């Protein structure tokens, strides 16, 4: 990658930031900082507001001109730097680009950045201990105070603390300057990571004798009928000059704040050391923390020396007990249940990596609505705010340490720091989350290459020991893709598994997980990654195929939402659900993924496809059909869902495959008041007696089974959806679910008219953060969503708020998320609105030319972030998209429409594809029945002839039928008097009455694949 600034950058003066041209005008206009006096708020003071930031080099981690060599010096001139509040992610503020980036990062840049925070401290801190704590910086943070290097912390996903005592000025006059250098060398992550101080920073002030950082560990070792034991181990640090006898008093309060137990213990603490005091107290009739009722208690800890309280901390915990049984599965508080989990990366769509508690809660409430009860923090330790959200909402957590060990996956990933830092980082992971009742599993890694290498077992042993030395109460596992067959005795995989309590497998067949269970009867198993089916919201293709090809036409890169687009290692959602359901020993599964995330855009690896396709909801937080599939299996309340979610963009009479997901066994489909029949699920029971709904028609989804279908241990095969084939007719399509003859749920689709208005709805915002999510929907005059509408929407804000980011969930999107405008996709888009401080209402408006504007209000909050994501972003119009040649479908990356115009007969457009086999499905290569290609011009042209050179061969042939149409102001209209002269060794010509148009379209039906190596018009 280049180490010097490119021509796309604008260089400022001494001490100025190197910024993109889109940000340069506002970098100079940063608002004036408030006075640097830091208002202390007790033991902990937030340091989030009023930093200055400079992007020294977005294309490398060097400072090529040396302009930032003294950026840590208090006298360094930072007045031209941007003003930001942290958490902050500089990468998401840069426009995506294919130049010098990779798809793994979502085509966002990283580089080198500097942050500076100036503040004064009062004389009252004389004699106190002062430290600064970071929850996470991406990455390799070097932190300076007043020009002195405090230290560096390489790993981006763990927190740390540095002592400032004696280094910080506390005279109330002399400013302190905290300077942080952060880097993001590319490639450093397999998915979008963000860059900078993306988690919280705080100042901690204590007396010399105090509770150590992470110094409280609360466990409930004895929970029996009517009582519970609370054991509190408190590490007391003594930074004074003499030994002390410290009394540690612990007070337990219930959710209502009532004192329910207390205890005390005295411990001698030598000077400069720490000692642990343990108190044990009994709580009568404790309420248990569960996923249905996440009841939390608190422990107040007071450290008392010579009758004086020197420190007080509060720790949240819960009473609960778990079991991971190798045969009987997972249970919480004695109640058997499956882990209904999702994997989520630590990004927030349009916010990038910025951590905001309200945004986290919004995301997790989406998961709850799908029936989720568990989260895997893929593949790194979570932000503490996410742990708090999960324990408050009742979501179990599998907390994971690393994506690699000593052997890396990318040039600049964690393997470079593993030997020196892994012991520290995994200990930090455990300490940070050890008191949360939500956390039930510790994972030492994900798909690490070392798991199949000779040194792997020793590495695993060290990591396991480090976890158990801190917390022996929870199982230690890992997630792996290297156990798809039973390991050979004595192999690295075998030796590692024997050390673990259990194992998460990634993408195992039903047969392979059965084999592991039989070979290791004392270990528990679950799916740490399941399915990985890919989809695009509102896009549908070939429902009769279990696995479809992908459309590679620029602007149409998307995958089918019929649960039928799979990569070689993946499985359909239905297969994964059935496999887990039928195995009592399987603890559950974690779907890959809960939400589309930036980067890793499987199955495409081309700009501007910036996000993954794996999510049950898209990157904007809008549910796909997969959301409703899992909801139908993971929830019990009556529900029914129609797929496709579109009864508008079909041709009259076109047969539409309608799928219905439901928790109810009987569903009737009605079109325009006429019943299309009733379909029913069969009521079935697993071999251990658990009921479920499934059809009995063969699914044909497992080539490994003699039947060709996945077969349950009870002998059943079938599908998790009901199916109708409906000739399209405009109007109203309704699915009615009935139980006992009574309607209990319905879902309705209505054919939409022309776009008329924009409506806005706002999700509730929790009080813990600044962000609200506002969904814009394009509707017709009757309020029906227009699924094909893609007008550009402009969001504006009045009151104490701002647009923090915009998204429409489309994976192929060239524009930045950090601007106020975005095209709707499938009729919808989302704006993230940040409160900027103040209790007044925030009014959000969305406008688009020719449409009635939409307005909604959200409450302000004093927790607002004034200088955060989107604050400096300016609108960058998307480059006009113009394709001289286009196609409905291109089967491969090298058969795009543009190849018809390059003059090379060896290249051309084709709809031919071969979808490779998966572990359960055979390869498929099936001609599409109907496709089109087109020619377009920037200015209208008068044309009467279209010439196409069809290639004929073993796999490609001439079309069966053809039609030519041209674009008008009213839409597409057929040409008149079309005559076709077919050519086998010569071009085929289509002549017609001349028309004036900007685009001609050739529509073809065929029983074979098609290929055209030249297309022209005259």
């Amino acid at each position: 990658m280049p180490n010097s600034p490119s021509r796309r950058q604008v260089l400022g003066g001494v001490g100025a930031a190197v910024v993109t041209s889109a940000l340069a005008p506002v970098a100079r206009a940063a608002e004036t900082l408030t006075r640097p006096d830091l208002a202390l708020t007790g033991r902990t003071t937030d340091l989030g507001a009023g930093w200055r930031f400079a992007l020294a080099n977005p294309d490398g981690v060097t400072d090529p001109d040396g302009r930032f060599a003294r950026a840590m010096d208090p006298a360094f001139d930072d007045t031209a730097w941007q003003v930001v509040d942290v958490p902050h992610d500089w990468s998401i503020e840069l426009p995506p680009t294919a130049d010098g980036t990779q798809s793994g990062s979502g085509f966002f840049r990283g580089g080198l950045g500097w942050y500076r925070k100036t503040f004064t401290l009062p004389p009252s801190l004389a004699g106190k201990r002062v430290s600064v704590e970071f929850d996470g910086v991406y990455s390799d943070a070097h932190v300076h105070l007043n020009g002195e290097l405090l230290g560096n912390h390489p790993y981006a996903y763990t927190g740390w603390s540095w002592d400032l005592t004696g280094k910080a000025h506390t005279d109330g006059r002399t400013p302190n300057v905290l300077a942080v250098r952060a880097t993001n060398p590319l490639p450093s992550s397999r998915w979008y990571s963000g860059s900078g101080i993306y988690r919280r920073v705080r100042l901690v002030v204590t007396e010399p004798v105090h509770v150590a950082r992470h110094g409280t560990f609360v466990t409930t070792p004895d929970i029996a009928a009517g009582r519970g034991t609370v054991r509190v181990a408190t590490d007391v640090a003594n930074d004074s000059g003499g030994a002390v006898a410290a009394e540690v008093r612990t007070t337990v309060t219930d959710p209502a704040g009532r004192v329910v137990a207390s205890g005390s213990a005295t411990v001698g603490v030598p000077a400069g050391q720490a000692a642990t005091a343990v108190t044990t107290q009994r709580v009568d009739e404790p309420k248990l923390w569960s996923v249905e009722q996440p009841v939390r208690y608190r422990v107040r800890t007071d450290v008392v020396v010579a009758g004086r309280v020197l420190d007080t901390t509060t720790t949240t915990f819960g009473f609960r007990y778990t079991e991971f049984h190798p045969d009987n599965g997972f249970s919480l508080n004695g109640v058997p249940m499956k882990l209904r989990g999702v994997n989520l990366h630590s990004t927030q769509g349009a916010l990038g990596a910025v951590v905001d508690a309200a945004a986290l809660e919004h995301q997790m409430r989406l998961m709850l609505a799908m029936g989720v009860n568990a989260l895997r923090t893929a593949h790194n330790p979570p932000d503490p705010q996410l742990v708090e959200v999960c324990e408050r909402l009742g979501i179990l957590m599998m907390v994971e340490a690393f994506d690699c060990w000593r052997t890396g996956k990318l040039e600049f990933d964690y393997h470079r720091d593993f030997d020196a830092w892994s012991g520290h980082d995994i200990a930090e992971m455990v300490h940070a989350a050890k008191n949360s009742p939500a956390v039930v599993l510790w994972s030492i890694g994900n798909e690490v290459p070392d798991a199949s290498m000779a040194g792997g077992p020793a590495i695993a042993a060290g990591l396991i020991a480090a976890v158990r030395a801190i917390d022996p109460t929870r199982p230690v596992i890992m997630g792996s893709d290297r156990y798809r067959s039973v390991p050979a005795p004595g192999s690295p995989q075998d030796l590692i598994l024997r050390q673990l309590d259990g194992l998460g497998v990634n993408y195992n067949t039903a047969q392979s997980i059965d084999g592991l269970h039989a070979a290791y009867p004392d270990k528990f198993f679950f799916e740490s990654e399941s399915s990985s089916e890919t989809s695009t919201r509102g896009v549908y293709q070939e429902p009769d195929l279990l696995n479809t090809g992908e459309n590679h036409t620029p602007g149409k890169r998307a995958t089918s939402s019929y649960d039928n687009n799979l990569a070689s290692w993946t499985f359909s959602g239905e297969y994964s659900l059935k496999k887990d359901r039928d195995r009592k020993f399987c603890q559950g599964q974690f779907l890959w993924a809960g939400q589309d995330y930036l980067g890793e855009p499987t199955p495409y690896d081309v700009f501007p496809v910036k996000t993954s396709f794996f999510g049950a909801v898209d990157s904007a937080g809008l549910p796909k059909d997969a959301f409703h599939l899992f909801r139908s299996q993971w929830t019990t309340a009556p529900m029914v869902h129609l797929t496709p979610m579109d009864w508008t963009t079909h041709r009259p009479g076109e047969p539409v495959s309608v799928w219905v997901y439901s928790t109810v066994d009987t569903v009737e489909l009605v079109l325009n008041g006429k019943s299309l029949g009733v379909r029913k699920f069969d009521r079935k029971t697993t071999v251990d007696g658990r009921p479920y709904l499934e059809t009995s028609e063969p699914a044909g989804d497992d080539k490994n089974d003699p039947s060709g279908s996945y077969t349950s241990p009870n002998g059943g095969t079938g599908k998790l959806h009901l199916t109708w084939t409906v000739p399209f007719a405009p109007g109203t399509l309704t699915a009615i679910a009935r139980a006992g003859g009574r309607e209990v749920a319905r879902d309705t689709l209505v054919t939409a008219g022309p776009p008329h208005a924009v409506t806005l709805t706002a999700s509730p915002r929790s009080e813990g953060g600044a962000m609200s999510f506002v969904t814009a929907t394009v509707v017709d005059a009757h309020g029906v969503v227009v699924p094909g509408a893609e007008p550009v929407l402009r969001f504006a804000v009045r009151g104490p708020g701002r647009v923090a980011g915009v998204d429409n969930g489309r994976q192929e999107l060239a524009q930045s998320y950090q601007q106020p405008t975005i095209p709707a996709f499938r009729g919808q888009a989302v704006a993230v609105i940040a409160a900027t401080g103040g209790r007044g209402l925030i009014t959000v408006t969305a406008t688009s030319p020719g449409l009635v504007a939409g307005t909604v209000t959200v409450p302000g909050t004093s927790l607002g972030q004034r200088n955060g994501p989107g604050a400096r972003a300016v609108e960058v119009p998307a480059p006009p998209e113009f394709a001289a040649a286009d196609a409905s479908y291109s089967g491969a990356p090298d058969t795009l429409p543009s190849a018809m115009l390059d003059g090379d007969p060896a290249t051309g457009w084709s709809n031919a594809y071969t979808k490779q086999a998966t572990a359960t499905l055979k390869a498929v290569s099936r001609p599409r029945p109907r496709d089109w290609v087109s020619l377009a011009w920037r200015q209208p042209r008068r044309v009467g002839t279209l010439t196409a050179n069809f290639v004929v061969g073993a796999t490609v042939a001439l079309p069966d039928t053809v039609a030519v149409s041209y674009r008008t102001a009213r839409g597409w209209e057929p040409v008149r008097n079309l005559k076709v002269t077919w050519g086998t060794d010569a071009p085929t010509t289509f002549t017609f009455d001349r028309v004036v148009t900007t685009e001609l379209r050739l529509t073809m039906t065929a029983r074979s694949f098609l290929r055209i190596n030249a297309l022209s018009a005259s």
Side-chain angles (χ1 to χ4, degrees):
M1 69 185 70
N3 289 325
S4 58
S6 71
R7 294 181 64 184
R8 291 180 286 107
Q9 299 165 342
V10 177
L11 301 182
V14 175
V18 178
V19 296
T20 67
S21 58
L23 298 181
V26 286
R28 301 291 189 270
E31 64 187 77
T32 303
L33 288 175
T34 57
R35 290 188 60 205
D37 297 344
L38 188 63
L40 300 180
T41 56
R43 191 179 196 271
T44 301
T45 300
D46 181 70
L47 288 182
W51 291 70
R52 289 195 181 274
F53 167 70
L55 181 52
N57 184 356
D59 295 318
V61 297
T62 63
D63 176 12
D65 298 324
R67 295 184 305 107
F68 297 88
R70 301 303 304 164
M72 75 293 292
D73 191 328
F76 186 83
D77 181 10
D78 62 10
T79 55
W81 289 17
Q82 299 174 15
V83 181
V84 302
D85 293 348
V86 301
H88 172 255
D89 173 8
W90 80 65
S91 288
I92 200 68
E93 295 182 343
L94 303 176
T97 176
D99 183 13
T101 62
Q102 301 83 30
S103 62
S105 69
F107 300 104
F108 286 94
R109 290 180 286 169
L112 166 65
W114 277 94
Y115 295 85
R116 285 166 57 97
K117 168 77 173 176
T118 302
F119 58 95
T120 58
L121 295 174
S124 60
L125 296 189
K128 307 282 189 181
R129 303 300 298 183
V130 181
S131 60
V132 62
E133 291 187 351
F134 290 80
D135 284 340
V137 175
Y138 203 102
S139 64
D140 195 22
H142 286 70
V143 182
H144 305 76
L145 180 70
N146 300 328
E148 178 184 349
L149 178 65
L150 298 174
N152 83 292
H153 185 89
Y155 196 32
Y157 298 105
T158 52
W160 74 94
S161 174
W162 278 318
D163 188 9
L164 307 184
T165 308
K167 302 172 184 177
H169 305 298
T170 57
D171 57 10
R173 299 184 308 274
T174 308
N176 294 284
V177 177
L178 193 65
V180 180
R181 179 186 187 272
T183 62
N184 181 4
L186 299 181
S188 65
S189 174
R190 295 188 298 121
W191 55 92
Y192 176 86
S193 63
S195 304
I197 307 177
Y198 73 103
R199 293 182 178 178
R200 294 176 300 178
V201 186
R202 59 194 158 272
L203 196 74
V204 178
V205 178
T206 68
E207 297 289 344
V209 179
H210 57 94
V211 177
R213 181 170 180 268
H214 298 319
T216 303
F217 188 20
V218 183
T219 55
T220 55
D222 180 23
I223 300 175
R227 60 178 168 77
T229 300
V230 181
R231 181 183 186 273
V232 184
T234 305
D235 297 333
V236 180
N238 178 11
D239 294 323
S240 72
V244 299
E247 179 188 8
V248 176
R249 301 171 183 170
T250 53
T251 305
V252 181
T253 56
D254 68 10
R258 296 182 295 253
V259 175
V260 293
S262 60
S264 67
T266 300
V267 63
V269 191
Q273 297 185 36
T276 303
V278 177
T279 64
T280 303
Q281 40 264 307
R282 170 174 165 169
V283 174
D284 293 328
E285 298 184 0
K287 296 178 180 179
L288 301 186
W289 185 96
S290 67
V291 295
E292 295 86 8
Q293 294 182 309
V295 178
R296 299 187 295 170
Y297 287 70
R298 286 177 172 79
V299 169
R300 170 176 166 148
T301 302
D302 295 310
V303 176
V304 183
V305 176
R308 180 183 169 213
V309 177
L310 298 184
D311 197 13
T312 298
T313 62
T314 301
T315 304
T316 301
F317 74 100
F319 290 93
R320 61 107 177 101
Y321 58 97
T322 64
E323 182 180 19
F324 291 85
H325 194 281
D327 293 319
N328 298 327
F330 173 70
S331 64
L332 176 62
N333 302 328
V335 179
M337 66 176 61
K338 288 280 191 178
L339 295 174
R340 304 187 302 269
V342 291
N343 289 273
L344 289 173
H345 280 313
S346 58
T347 52
Q348 288 285 303
L351 297 176
V354 168
V355 173
D356 176 81
L360 291 173
E361 181 167 336
H362 172 75
Q363 183 183 51
M364 297 315 302
R365 287 194 179 278
L366 280 171
M367 299 299 104
L368 284 173
M370 190 169 66
V372 166
N373 66 12
L375 168 67
R376 178 190 185 205
T377 65
H379 302 291
N380 43 255
D383 186 275
Q385 294 179 93
L386 179 57
V387 177
E388 195 279 332
V389 166
C390 287
E391 70 179 45
R392 179 161 46 83
L393 297 182
I395 299 172
L396 302 162
M397 298 187 74
M398 169 183 165
V399 173
E400 192 153 72
F402 309 118
D403 190 46
C404 67
W405 294 347
R406 184 171 295 142
T407 302
K409 301 174 182 179
L410 296 172
E411 182 179 1
F412 299 112
D413 65 14
Y414 185 71
H415 78 278
R416 301 180 302 159
D417 303 301
F418 181 83
D419 285 341
W421 284 91
S422 60
H424 171 276
D425 287 327
I426 202 165
E428 175 70 18
M429 175 190 81
V430 176
H431 277 305
K434 64 188 176 185
N435 292 308
S436 176
V439 178
V440 295
L441 290 169
W442 300 119
S443 170
I444 60 174
N446 168 69
E447 296 186 352
V448 293
D450 295 284
S452 55
M453 297 180 178
I459 296 174
L463 296 174
I464 293 168
V467 173
R468 289 176 176 161
I470 301 168
D471 176 22
T473 70
R474 296 175 174 92
V476 182
I477 56 88
M478 74 177 185
S480 184
D481 60 345
R482 294 169 189 260
Y483 291 84
R484 292 175 186 167
S485 60
V486 175
S491 66
Q493 292 98 316
D494 173 65
L495 297 176
I496 291 175
L497 180 50
R498 294 190 184 282
Q499 299 179 66
L500 296 167
D501 295 303
L503 180 69
V505 296
N506 294 358
Y507 314 112
N508 282 46
T509 64
Q511 296 83 359
S512 66
I513 197 171
D514 286 342
L516 289 169
H517 175 56
Y520 297 89
D522 59 330
K523 305 297 181 183
F524 66 83
F525 293 92
F526 63 98
E527 291 186 272
S528 41
E529 292 181 26
S530 69
S531 183
S532 269
E533 176 265 341
T534 58
S535 61
T536 299
R537 177 174 55 85
V539 173
Y540 305 93
Q541 180 183 330
E542 298 167 325
D544 57 321
L545 287 180
L546 297 175
N547 198 9
T548 68
E550 288 88 34
N551 192 351
H552 292 271
T553 304
K556 299 180 180 65
R557 296 180 180 108
T559 61
S560 175
S561 283
Y562 275 120
D563 191 28
N564 65 341
N565 188 265
L566 307 174
S568 61
W569 69 90
T570 65
F571 304 91
S572 69
E574 291 202 15
Y575 180 93
S576 297
L577 285 161
K578 293 185 292 187
K579 175 179 58 175
D580 174 43
R581 174 199 68 199
D582 291 334
R583 284 156 178 79
K584 183 179 181 180
F585 74 82
C586 188
Q587 317 291 307
Q589 65 177 300
F590 291 85
L591 169 66
W592 193 274
Q595 184 171 7
D596 286 349
Y597 51 90
L598 299 178
E600 208 170 33
T602 306
Y604 302 99
D605 188 12
V606 60
F607 185 82
V609 187
K610 303 200 301 293
T611 72
S612 79
F613 291 69
F614 299 117
V617 302
D618 65 25
S619 59
L622 300 171
K624 307 181 196 176
D625 294 276
F627 175 94
H628 300 283
L629 164 62
F630 280 83
R631 179 181 165 218
S632 73
Q633 304 302 304
W634 284 355
T635 66
T636 57
M639 60 79 61
V640 63
H641 171 75
L642 283 164
T643 298
M645 298 186 288
D646 173 0
W647 200 245
T648 300
T649 58
H650 307 280
R651 302 186 311 276
E654 174 188 354
V656 179
S657 184
V658 176
W659 292 14
V660 168
Y661 300 120
S662 182
T663 56
V664 182
D665 65 351
T666 302
V667 179
E668 181 182 16
L669 193 66
V670 178
L671 176 61
N672 295 330
K674 180 182 177 180
S675 176
L676 301 181
V678 174
R679 303 278 192 273
K680 290 188 176 183
F681 290 108
D682 295 324
R683 293 185 173 273
K684 300 181 181 180
T685 306
T686 63
V687 291
D688 59 296
R690 291 173 288 116
Y692 64 94
L693 299 178
E694 184 181 86
T695 70
S696 288
E697 58 185 312
D701 55 356
D702 193 351
K703 66 184 181 184
N704 304 304
D705 192 275
S707 71
S709 297
Y710 169 83
T711 303
S712 299
N714 62 12
T717 62
K719 301 177 181 178
L720 302 183
H721 66 273
L722 303 172
T723 306
W724 287 258
T725 299
V726 182
F728 175 72
T732 301
L733 183 71
T734 303
I736 303 171
R738 294 187 176 92
R742 181 176 61 88
E743 179 180 331
V744 292
R746 70 166 51 202
D747 189 22
T748 299
L749 299 172
V750 179
T751 303
H756 172 73
V758 181
T759 63
L760 297 184
T761 56
S763 64
R765 182 185 61 233
S766 74
E767 287 300 313
M771 306 300 171
S772 297
F773 291 76
V774 173
T775 300
T777 303
V778 181
V779 298
D780 68 9
H782 301 286
V784 177
V785 180
V786 186
E790 298 189 356
V792 174
L793 303 175
R794 178 182 298 276
F795 293 92
V797 172
R798 286 187 291 108
R802 56 182 170 76
V803 177
V806 292
D807 194 0
N808 61 14
R810 184 176 184 175
Q811 292 108 344
E812 184 182 15
L813 182 67
Q815 76 165 66
S816 167
Y817 297 106
Q818 298 287 292
Q819 61 181 56
T821 61
I822 193 167
F825 178 63
R826 307 303 299 172
Q828 292 186 296
V830 171
V832 186
I833 306 301
T836 55
R839 291 289 182 177
L841 289 178
I842 303 169
T843 301
V844 184
T845 302
T847 58
S848 186
L851 301 181
V852 177
T855 300
V856 73
T857 59
V858 296
T861 172
S862 60
L863 298 175
Q865 192 183 45
R866 183 172 301 278
N867 304 290
R872 290 157 310 283
V874 296
E875 182 177 352
V876 181
E881 295 183 8
F882 175 77
D886 198 5
S888 57
Y889 187 91
S890 301
D894 60 351
T895 58
L896 303 183
S898 58
M900 296 185 294
L901 309 183
D902 63 8
D904 184 352
T907 65
W909 164 85
S910 178
N911 59 5
Y913 71 89
T914 298
K915 194 62 182 290
Q916 61 186 314
T918 73
T920 57
L921 300 175
K922 296 179 180 179
V924 64
S925 180
R926 194 185 74 176
R928 292 167 52 83
R930 184 177 185 272
D931 273 310
W932 57 260
V933 295
S934 72
L935 281 176
W937 305 275
R938 294 185 184 275
Q939 300 297 326
R941 288 182 57 182
R942 185 176 179 84
V943 292
T945 302
L946 181 66
T947 303
N949 191 31
F950 288 96
V951 178
V952 178
T955 60
V956 292
L958 293 173
D960 295 328
T961 66
V962 294
V964 177
S965 56
Y966 66 106
R967 185 184 292 278
T968 73
R970 298 175 298 277
W972 290 97
E973 296 187 14
V975 298
R976 296 181 179 181
N977 297 319
L978 175 65
K979 296 179 181 179
V980 182
T981 303
W982 294 99
T984 52
D985 297 324
T988 296
T989 58
F990 307 86
T991 58
F992 45 86
D993 293 349
R994 287 189 171 273
V995 297
V996 177
T997 186
T998 58
E999 189 171 8
L1000 276 180
R1001 176 180 289 185
L1002 173 63
T1003 301
M1004 302 157 287
T1005 65
R1007 288 165 291 179
S1008 299
F1009 288 122
L1010 301 170
R1011 182 178 178 87
I1012 301 174
N1013 64 12
L1015 187 68
S1016 61
S1018 60

